């Protein structure tokens, strides 16, 4: 008997694509996708169940479908897609709490994989050169997506202590990028003119959307417990990324970028939250040694080649990087 995998957040593209990829793996017998609305694309052999993870009904789904593996992908980065900040926090934090409560009660669940993000480290002038998994943010997040993720990971650690028989794998993904990704950062790079905080040139790390799907599938199949930073090899400075897109930029004080961001956010052009402005000021670097040596995963795309693939989707042959996966053609920067 293969395993039975439940995937949350299947109405979003990355959740739908992961569920389809998981359903094709020979060690997985069935995949059940859960969300409050149906997915908009083809889900192949995945079974869809309309359910709200904020409701106790999720426990009934786990029991009815004999789920032994849960992949939690329902943590949302943008309040606009969730219907506002309050709804976003409910889905992210309350939804996670209810899902973990259901997993705790289930005698069948043996593996939990959580899609998290390196955003939980924050971005400040006090940051180390590279964050390792044992480190936390230098300044605790006070609002927004970063606070949600920080709280979610805290609840996941609590669950792991209460259910030591369950293998818990947390994937802290760097900023995901690719042709099909819609996020605050990709919306920023799609602007015709890119605002920058004067006097700062932040370091950027990217994870290609295909590598995100691969690492989640690897986590499910390998069953390696722990928390892992996952990012493509290398870094790009913001100035390099802008030059490679061939776009103009304008440098301005942080408060002016914030005001511009408010206008763009109200116009639903781009999401300039305080955490996004902090990231575009200070950047972030994470150490991926554990990803390779413990999890046993190697992304196919480097940071540079992942950004190049994104640039191609904008009709831009990105300068200074050889497009292609790291295997068989490393992007030389």
């Amino acid at each position: 008997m293969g395993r039975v995998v439940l995937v949350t957040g299947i109405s979003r593209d990355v959740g739908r694509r992961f569920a389809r990829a998981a359903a094709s793996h020979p060690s997985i017998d069935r995949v059940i996708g859960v969300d409050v609305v149906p997915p908009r694309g083809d889900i192949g052999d995945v079974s869809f169940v309309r359910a709200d993870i904020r409701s106790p009904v999720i426990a009934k789904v786990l029991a009815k479908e004999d789920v032994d593996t849960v992949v939690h992908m329902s943590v949302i980065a943008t309040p606009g897609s969730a219907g506002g900040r309050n709804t976003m926090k409910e889905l992210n934090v309350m939804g996670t709490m209810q899902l973990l409560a259901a997993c705790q009660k289930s005698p069948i669940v043996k593996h939990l994989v959580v899609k998290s993000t390196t955003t939980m480290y924050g971005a400040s002038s006090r940051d180390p050169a590279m964050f390792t998994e044992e480190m936390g943010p230098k300044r605790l997040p006070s609002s927004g997506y970063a606070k949600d993720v920080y709280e979610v990971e805290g609840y996941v650690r609590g669950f792991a202590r209460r259910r030591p028989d369950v293998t818990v794998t947390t994937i802290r993904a760097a900023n995901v990028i690719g042709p099909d990704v819609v996020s605050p950062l990709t919306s920023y790079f799609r602007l015709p003119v890119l605002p920058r905080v004067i006097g700062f040139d932040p370091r950027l790390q990217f994870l290609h959307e295909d590598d995100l799907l691969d690492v989640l599938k690897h986590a499910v199949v390998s069953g390696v417990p722990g928390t892992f930073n996952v990012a493509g090899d290398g870094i790009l400075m913001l100035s390099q990324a802008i030059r490679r897109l061939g776009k103009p930029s304008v440098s301005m004080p942080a408060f002016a970028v914030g005001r511009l961001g408010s206008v763009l956010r109200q116009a639903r052009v781009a999401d300039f939250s305080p955490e996004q402005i902090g990231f575009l000021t200070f950047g972030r670097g994470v150490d991926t040694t554990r990803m390779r040596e413990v999890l046993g995963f190697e992304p196919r795309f480097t940071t540079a080649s992942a950004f190049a693939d994104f640039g191609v989707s904008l009709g831009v042959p990105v300068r200074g990087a050889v497009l292609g996966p790291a295997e068989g053609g490393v992007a030389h920067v």
Side-chain angles (χ1 to χ4, degrees), residues 56-130:
V57 74
I58 192 64
K60 297 179 181 179
V61 176
L62 294 180
K64 180 182 177 182
E65 301 291 346
D66 295 325
V67 172
D68 55 68
T69 302
V70 173
V71 182
H72 185 30
M73 301 181 64
S74 198
V75 181
I76 303 169
T78 52
S81 64
R85 172 58 189 152
N86 290 337
T87 304
M88 172 182 166
K89 185 173 182 64
E90 278 187 20
L91 288 167
N92 289 348
V93 179
M94 303 306 295
T96 298
M97 291 175 66
Q98 194 68 249
L99 178 67
L100 294 177
C103 291
Q104 184 172 334
K105 294 175 183 176
S106 171
I108 303 174
V109 171
K110 297 300 179 186
H111 190 191
L112 171 67
V113 177
V114 178
K115 175 192 169 293
S116 186
T117 170
T118 57
T119 300
M120 67 85 59
Y121 293 118
S124 77
S125 59
R126 300 167 55 196
D127 289 351
M130 291 288 179

Side-chain angles (χ1 to χ4, degrees), residues 18-328:
F18 168 72
R20 283 198 62 175
S24 67
H25 197 277
S27 72
I28 297 174
D29 185 41
R30 290 188 296 128
V31 175
I32 297 97
V34 171
D35 216 320
V36 292
V37 295
R40 286 179 288 185
D42 182 17
I43 60 174
D45 296 329
V46 178
S47 300
F48 172 69
V49 175
R50 188 191 295 266
D52 190 338
I53 63 171
R54 293 171 293 179
S55 164
V57 74
I58 192 64
K60 297 179 181 179
V61 176
L62 294 180
K64 180 182 177 182
E65 301 291 346
D66 295 325
V67 172
D68 55 68
T69 302
V70 173
V71 182
H72 185 30
M73 301 181 64
S74 198
V75 181
I76 303 169
T78 52
S81 64
R85 172 58 189 152
N86 290 337
T87 304
M88 172 182 166
K89 185 173 182 64
E90 278 187 20
L91 288 167
N92 289 348
V93 179
M94 303 306 295
T96 298
M97 291 175 66
Q98 194 68 249
L99 178 67
L100 294 177
C103 291
Q104 184 172 334
K105 294 175 183 176
S106 171
I108 303 174
V109 171
K110 297 300 179 186
H111 190 191
L112 171 67
V113 177
V114 178
K115 175 192 169 293
S116 186
T117 170
T118 57
T119 300
M120 67 85 59
Y121 293 118
S124 77
S125 59
R126 300 167 55 196
D127 289 351
M130 291 288 179
F131 280 101
T132 65
E133 289 84 351
E134 292 76 20
M135 296 178 181
K138 293 302 179 182
R139 294 177 180 170
L140 292 180
S142 58
S143 62
Y145 180 50
K147 183 178 181 182
D148 289 356
V149 174
Y150 185 79
E151 292 181 10
V152 163
E153 284 206 15
Y155 291 126
V156 170
R157 287 191 295 271
F159 168 80
R161 290 191 295 269
R162 294 189 298 271
R163 284 290 303 270
D165 59 310
V166 176
T167 300
V168 178
T169 308
T170 301
I171 301 298
R172 285 181 185 160
N175 289 87
V176 178
I177 203 165
D180 299 318
V181 175
V182 178
S183 70
L185 193 61
T186 60
S187 296
Y188 167 79
F189 282 120
R190 288 186 173 101
L191 293 172
V193 179
L194 303 180
R196 297 179 56 190
V197 178
I198 191 168
F200 293 89
D201 194 11
R203 297 166 301 147
L204 311 176
Q205 282 177 310
F206 299 121
L207 179 67
H208 193 276
E209 56 185 315
D210 292 347
D211 284 323
L212 173 63
L213 303 181
D214 287 346
V215 73
L216 290 169
K217 185 164 64 173
H218 177 82
V220 169
V221 173
S222 66
V224 178
T227 299
F228 303 96
N229 294 330
V230 179
D233 191 39
I235 63 169
L236 279 178
M237 308 304 290
L238 179 60
S239 59
Q240 291 177 308
I242 293 173
R243 285 198 301 271
R244 290 175 186 188
L245 288 179
K247 290 193 173 189
S249 66
V250 57
S251 296
M252 55 183 67
F255 75 87
V257 175
R259 289 177 181 173
L260 175 62
S262 297
V263 174
L264 294 175
R265 186 166 60 249
Q266 290 173 5
R268 302 199 174 195
V269 174
D271 183 10
F272 272 75
S273 62
E275 64 200 48
Q276 173 84 339
I277 295 173
F279 179 69
L280 292 174
T281 304
F282 302 107
R284 185 184 307 115
V286 297
D287 183 277
T288 57
T289 302
R290 279 176 51 83
M291 173 190 76
R292 294 179 173 85
E293 296 183 357
V294 181
L295 184 61
F297 179 77
E298 181 74 38
R300 291 182 294 130
F301 285 80
T302 65
T303 284
S305 61
F307 188 73
D309 196 29
F310 167 73
V312 169
S313 72
L314 303 183
V316 178
V318 174
R319 307 171 192 171
V322 179
L323 175 62
E327 293 179 1

